[in-house]
Amino acid sequence: MTRPLVVGVDGSDGSSLAVDWAVDEAVHHDIPLRLVYASRWERYEAGVPSEGTERPSERVLAEHIVASAAERAAQRCPDVKVTVDILPDDAVYALLREGDSAHALVTGSRGRGELTGLLLGSVGLAVAAKAHCPVIVVRGDRTGLAGGHERILLGAGEPVTANEAVRFAFREAEARACVLYAVRAWRCPAHEVGNQVALGEVARQHEGEASALLDALLGEAMAAHPKVEVRRVTAEGPAHRILVDRSAAADLVVVGARRRHGHVGLQLGRVAHALLHQAKCPVAVVPQTE
């Protein structure tokens, strides 16, 4: 059975943008859409005596949110199959469970009730840091959200975190008929440089290593997706800054994240964390399980 694209909805503006983006994504991949609202309202409503047959206010709100989200999705593309569900559970735990049988999870950058000063809401951050399926946090400007750049940006990390991300990025580029920019950042440690001549030699060495790593990472996926146009980029500097800057000209930035068995904390590297808070386009965090 085809796995759906699961969207966490909560009635916020960020949630609405996530629904719009997810509808377009579902069209690209020809997959169904599942809209989920989760809240532990029964914990708070259970002790309140009901009057007659009146339904709990949170349940009414939940039904309104998922119905509005479904209507929005249908208006954007009537051909996408949409199902909805209301889950009486913590939003993070509910979405993580949904991710076990999802093509990917999609959330907005901030949810209903989040402080406006936050760069990323707590639900989106926790889901991106723990899920065992790809998580897309929808953020960015109008052009990027609409896919107007026709460019996928891949942050090529270490093989231990990057292989699944590479495959995901190629699938996205192929489905969207986009150019894939694979970026590998490199640094020249100060202790390795004694003079200007040494600086040039060391820099060329590090750049060559970055280029070789890109070749190794991309080779298999390029063979599997020969129609995808790939641009290899090696750039000197901090990876998180380079990718944040380049995200302004991309429709999606893809990075990997390690998932260690038995580890219960947040599992996000510095690059993924920075992109989730600062990227100028939607961010896909793709887990690599050890």
Side-chain angles (χ1 to χ4, degrees), residues 17 20-21 24-25 28 76 138-151 176 178 250-252 280-282:
L17 289 176
D20 292 345
W21 189 92
D24 297 343
E25 181 75 350
H28 290 314
R76 192 166 184 89
V138 177
R139 57 179 302 117
D141 61 25
R142 183 175 301 178
T143 304
L145 291 171
H149 297 295
E150 299 184 344
R151 179 181 299 185
R176 297 161 175 257
C178 285
D251 300 326
L252 179 69
K280 308 302 191 299
C281 70

Side-chain angles (χ1 to χ4, degrees), residues 4-239:
L5 188 63
V6 177
V7 189
V9 299
D10 63 5
S12 65
D13 291 342
S15 170
S16 296
L17 289 176
V19 170
D20 292 345
W21 189 92
V23 170
D24 297 343
E25 181 75 350
V27 171
H28 290 314
H29 294 277
D30 190 24
I31 56 177
L33 199 61
R34 176 168 163 80
L35 308 177
V36 175
Y37 175 84
S39 174
R40 288 182 169 175
W41 71 82
E42 82 287 354
R43 174 174 297 182
Y44 307 103
E45 297 281 2
V48 180
S50 60
E51 297 180 5
T53 59
E54 184 177 350
R55 291 180 298 161
S57 59
E58 184 68 25
R59 179 74 190 189
V60 173
L61 174 63
E63 292 174 354
H64 172 73
I65 286 173
V66 295
S68 297
E71 181 180 2
R72 186 180 185 98
Q75 289 176 349
R76 192 166 184 89
C77 183
D79 294 332
V80 172
K81 181 181 178 181
V82 178
T83 59
V84 302
D85 205 352
I86 299 170
L87 305 175
D89 201 353
D90 173 82
V92 172
Y93 293 134
L95 288 173
L96 291 176
R97 282 199 309 272
E98 290 288 319
D100 291 339
S101 56
H103 171 83
L105 291 170
V106 181
T107 75
S109 60
R110 280 201 304 271
R112 182 167 57 94
E114 298 281 3
L115 298 175
T116 56
L118 292 178
L119 296 175
L120 174 64
S122 58
V123 171
L125 180 61
V127 171
K130 294 182 177 181
H132 289 274
C133 74
V135 175
I136 299 100
V137 174
V138 177
R139 57 179 302 117
D141 61 25
R142 183 175 301 178
T143 304
L145 291 171
H149 297 295
E150 299 184 344
R151 179 181 299 185
I152 301 296
L153 180 64
L154 168 66
E158 300 302 320
V160 71
T161 62
N163 288 329
E164 289 297 332
V166 168
R167 286 188 278 270
F168 182 91
F170 270 84
R171 290 194 297 268
E172 285 295 317
E174 185 170 71
R176 297 161 175 257
C178 285
V179 177
L180 175 62
Y181 281 74
V183 179
R184 172 69 182 185
W186 58 274
R187 303 294 299 275
C188 190
H191 70 271
E192 296 184 11
V193 181
N195 53 55
Q196 289 299 317
V197 175
L199 174 61
E201 293 177 354
V202 173
R204 284 191 292 273
Q205 176 185 344
H206 284 286
E207 186 174 15
E209 291 172 354
S211 181
L213 185 142
L214 271 180
D215 290 342
L217 278 177
L218 302 178
E220 183 178 330
M222 289 180 65
H225 302 273
K227 294 182 180 179
V228 174
E229 180 180 350
V230 180
R231 307 281 177 85
R232 296 177 178 84
V233 179
T234 56
E236 182 181 9

Side-chain angles (χ1 to χ4, degrees), residues 248-273:
D251 300 326
L252 179 69
V253 56
V254 181
V255 290
R258 297 175 73 178
R259 293 291 185 265
R260 298 178 178 89
H261 291 296
H263 187 86
V264 296
L266 300 183
Q267 300 184 65
L268 278 179
R270 182 181 185 184
V271 173
H273 196 274

